Every structure is written in structure tokens, then in C-alpha cells.
Amino acid sequence: MTNLNELQTIVQSKKRFIDGYSKIILSFKPIQAYLLQQCLDEFKDLSLKEISALIQPSSSNSKIITLNTEDIRIPGAKIVYDLLYVVKHPLHPSKYILIHIEAQGEESYKYALPCRSLYYAYRLIAGQKNHSLGFQKSFYNDILDVRSFWIYLHHAKKKDNCLLEYVTHENQKMCNFCFDPRFYGMSKTHLLYPSIHSKEEQTLEEILNGPKNIMELLSILFLSNRGYDQIIQILERKYDILLSKEDKEEIKDMCTFGQGAYLAWTEYGMKQGRKQGRMEGRKSGELDTLVQNISLLLESGTISDIQQAFSILRVQKEMQSKVLKRLDLH
């Protein structure tokens, strides 16, 4: 219960709870291999084993060792990325692709996510100049392709299981000339919105016999109330994701987190619903009381004009229209 209580505390204080835990899960090479296979055309015809071998080929570690995630190149505009690594380009063996992963607990409504995700991707492109990983001087053809993935766990229901891709296209306005897409398609951004996955909704056998789906995999890893044994069965039997004994131990620890996350978000949603209901109830009660008081003033002859009542009672403009509608005076 400790993990659940910690998660609920973080959620209630409106902080992102997907931090070290999500990074550990997403750092497993077989899991990243499946993400690349399902989302990127360059990898769709390769096996998970082949893709895993391309991820940080100089490292034999079963987990990804992230590159420096702190970007302070622009004064006053520091960025800290969740996970950064390179994968060898399957179509151009001498080239690499820079992979960026962001796992977020709750989507912010202060901005549209495509704006932030594209800003991050462009920063990753701009930061390559005269960098050991990128290109030198004016050799812009050597820019590494950037593939950015944003995984959001708590979001509006209408986004459940949405996978959105943003790419650059060339629009041929005049003449017959065009550039090879590799010279302008270096950036692709993906937004993924997995939904809560409950064992009450689907049996293990139904999942094992159903089609493979990247959203299902993410939901089971992060938003499921299933136990360790079931998750391992799904990973191995359905998704061909094979983990070492040591990695399985870490997944076992993460399962407590996964169940806690699922329960915490469920509880969070219930609390938000109750809170919204109370707020709407209060507003409705305030309107009823206001209408009753204004009606009494008008009926008693104390005042003769509704605007006078608004002035005396200091009714805000947003409430005035509601009162007028209720009194059928609009």
C-alpha cells in the first residue's frame, strides 16, 4: 500500500508521477524495439531481436543507457528529456537515428501538445550542430533523423488509444522538381494515448488471442491492475518480448507500481468527479438562492427594476444572464 499512497499523494499535488518507474520500463531494449517496430516504417519489417541489436549497438546492456538529457544550450530555456538514445538506421547502416521518449502522467491543458512536442524535436535537431553526435560546420546533410515519442497516461477520454504522427511534407506548388524526403523528413513526432486497462474487461485468454496493439501493450505496462504473472505471459506469449531473469525481477517490482497507477488514476477520476459535482451543486444552489431573493425583492415592491437588484446584491455579469433566463426576463 505504500506505493499506492505515494502515487495518490503525487497525483493530488498535481505532480507527474511517471518518473523513474516509467523510465526503467521504457529503457528495456525489447520494449523499445516493439515501439519502434509498430510506429516507424523503417523498422516494420524487422524482428524484435534484429531491432534490439540496432539499439545502442556498442552496448551489450539489456537496458538503454540514456544520453545526456539536459539541454541548456539556450539561456533561460533549459529542457530535461526523459530518455534519449541512438539506434542504427536499418536502411542506411552508416547512419543513426536519435530517439527521444517522454512519458507523462497527466496532459497539460495550458498548451496543445503538438506545439511542445515539435519544439522539443526541433531543439534536438538544432542542438546537433558541432556536436559529437550531430554534424559539423555547414554539413547539414549529416543531420541525424529525430523520432520523438510522447506517451500520456491521463488524458481526456476522447483521446483513448489515439496514436498521432506529425511529419514534414513537401508541397510542390510549381514546376516538376522535388527533393528526396530524406532531406526534409528528419523529424517525426508521435503522440500516444493509452487507456486504462482492467482485467475485469478482458480475460487473459482474450488478450492472448487478440491482435497485437502498441496501445494495449502500453496500457498493460502502465495502467493495468493485472499481476506480474499475467503481464509476463502477455509480454512473452503475445508480444514475443523476452526478458532476462534480472529484467523480470525489475518488472516484478514495477507491477506494484502499475497496479498502483491504475488504482490511483481511477481514484483520482472519482475524486475529480465528486469535486466537480460539488462545485456544480454549489453553483446551482447559489443561483436558486439568488433568484429567490430577487423575486422576493421584486414582489415586495422594495425595488422596481431587475438591474437595481443586481446592483444591490452585487451580482456578477456571468450570473446575471442565468438569473434573467431563470426569471424568463432575457
Side-chain angles (χ1 to χ4, degrees):
M1 290 299 292
T2 304
N3 287 346
L4 176 56
N5 291 336
E6 288 174 357
L7 284 172
Q8 288 173 326
T9 300
I10 295 171
V11 171
Q12 288 163 1
S13 62
K14 297 183 180 180
K15 293 180 180 177
R16 295 183 179 91
F17 70 89
I18 300 297
D19 43 29
Y21 292 107
S22 63
K23 291 174 189 174
I24 290 173
I25 292 176
L26 290 170
S27 69
F28 289 119
K29 286 185 179 179
I31 290 173
Q32 278 296 311
Y34 189 77
L35 181 69
L36 300 182
Q37 184 193 62
Q38 295 299 303
C39 296
L40 300 181
D41 292 339
E42 299 95 327
F43 297 91
K44 65 181 181 180
D45 296 324
L46 299 181
S47 69
L48 297 186
K49 186 176 181 180
E50 289 172 325
I51 298 172
S52 293
L54 296 175
I55 296 174
Q56 290 187 330
S58 60
S59 171
S60 59
N61 200 312
S62 63
K63 289 209 296 287
I64 292 165
I65 301 170
T66 188
L67 302 171
N68 182 17
T69 57
E70 195 172 275
D71 183 349
I72 54 174
R73 293 180 182 90
I74 300 178
K78 176 182 173 181
I79 289 181
V80 179
Y81 306 104
D82 275 2
L83 186 63
L84 281 176
Y85 68 91
V86 292
V87 57
K88 188 172 283 191
H89 201 304
L91 306 179
H92 307 283
S94 62
K95 292 190 68 177
Y96 286 87
I97 300 173
L98 182 59
I99 304 294
H100 162 234
I101 307 289
E102 289 289 325
Q104 305 286 316
E106 185 169 19
E107 185 172 9
S108 171
Y109 292 94
K110 294 178 181 177
Y111 51 80
L113 182 56
C115 294
R116 183 184 176 193
S117 62
L118 290 172
Y119 173 73
Y120 274 46
Y122 296 151
R123 283 280 294 267
L124 286 168
I125 291 174
Q128 292 182 37
K129 186 166 186 177
N130 297 326
H131 190 281
S132 58
L133 257 181
F135 65 98
Q136 303 301 309
K137 299 180 180 178
S138 296
F139 293 97
Y140 292 100
N141 287 0
D142 294 335
I143 293 174
L144 295 185
D145 287 351
V146 172
R147 302 293 181 256
S148 183
F149 296 90
W150 294 70
I151 301 168
Y152 271 86
L153 302 187
H154 195 242
H155 46 75
K157 189 167 179 60
K158 64 183 179 181
K159 296 179 183 176
D160 276 359
N161 297 317
C162 280
L163 170 53
L164 307 173
E165 181 184 67
Y166 299 88
V167 298
T168 301
H169 292 288
E170 183 181 65
N171 191 1
Q172 212 172 359
K173 293 277 190 176
M174 295 179 67
C175 84
N176 295 320
F177 174 78
C178 62
F179 279 100
D180 188 311
R182 65 192 174 95
F183 294 127
Y184 57 81
M186 67 276 291
S187 171
K188 285 186 182 178
T189 300
H190 296 79
L191 310 185
L192 298 96
Y193 295 94
S195 62
I196 284 178
H197 199 281
S198 172
K199 66 181 180 182
E200 283 73 34
E201 295 174 358
Q202 272 187 305
T203 66
L204 176 61
E205 288 305 315
E206 285 175 334
I207 290 177
L208 292 175
N209 295 326
K212 293 181 180 180
N213 186 311
I214 183 61
M215 289 303 176
E216 179 186 74
L217 178 63
L218 292 173
S219 297
I220 287 168
L221 286 171
F222 292 110
L223 292 169
S224 174
N225 58 350
R226 294 181 186 276
Y228 165 76
D229 291 334
Q230 284 197 17
I231 289 177
I232 291 297
Q233 282 192 64
I234 294 168
L235 290 178
E236 293 183 342
R237 291 173 57 187
K238 181 171 184 176
Y239 289 97
D240 301 318
I241 294 176
L242 305 177
L243 300 171
S244 67
K245 184 178 179 181
E246 293 76 15
D247 293 341
K248 284 183 181 180
E249 286 300 314
E250 288 200 69
I251 287 286
K252 191 172 186 178
D253 292 336
M254 296 305 103
C255 284
T256 305
F257 161 76
Q259 293 176 43
Y262 168 80
L263 294 171
W265 281 124
T266 303
E267 176 64 15
Y268 178 63
M270 291 171 64
K271 287 182 178 179
Q272 289 295 93
R274 288 196 294 267
K275 181 180 177 182
Q276 183 66 22
R278 286 197 298 270
M279 287 175 64
E280 290 176 359
R282 271 202 305 273
K283 288 181 179 178
S284 178
E286 288 172 5
L287 180 60
D288 289 341
T289 302
L290 192 56
V291 169
Q292 185 178 14
N293 289 338
I294 290 175
S295 297
L296 289 172
L297 286 171
L298 290 168
E299 290 169 6
S300 67
T302 306
I303 59 172
S304 57
D305 181 71
I306 188 71
Q307 294 301 326
Q308 193 179 356
F310 288 155
S311 178
I312 293 170
L313 298 173
R314 296 180 180 177
V315 180
Q316 295 180 353
K317 284 195 175 295
E318 62 179 26
M319 289 292 284
Q320 290 180 16
S321 60
K322 295 178 181 179
V323 172
L324 290 170
K325 187 174 182 179
R326 183 73 72 86
L327 292 172
D328 202 23
L329 295 173
H330 58 290

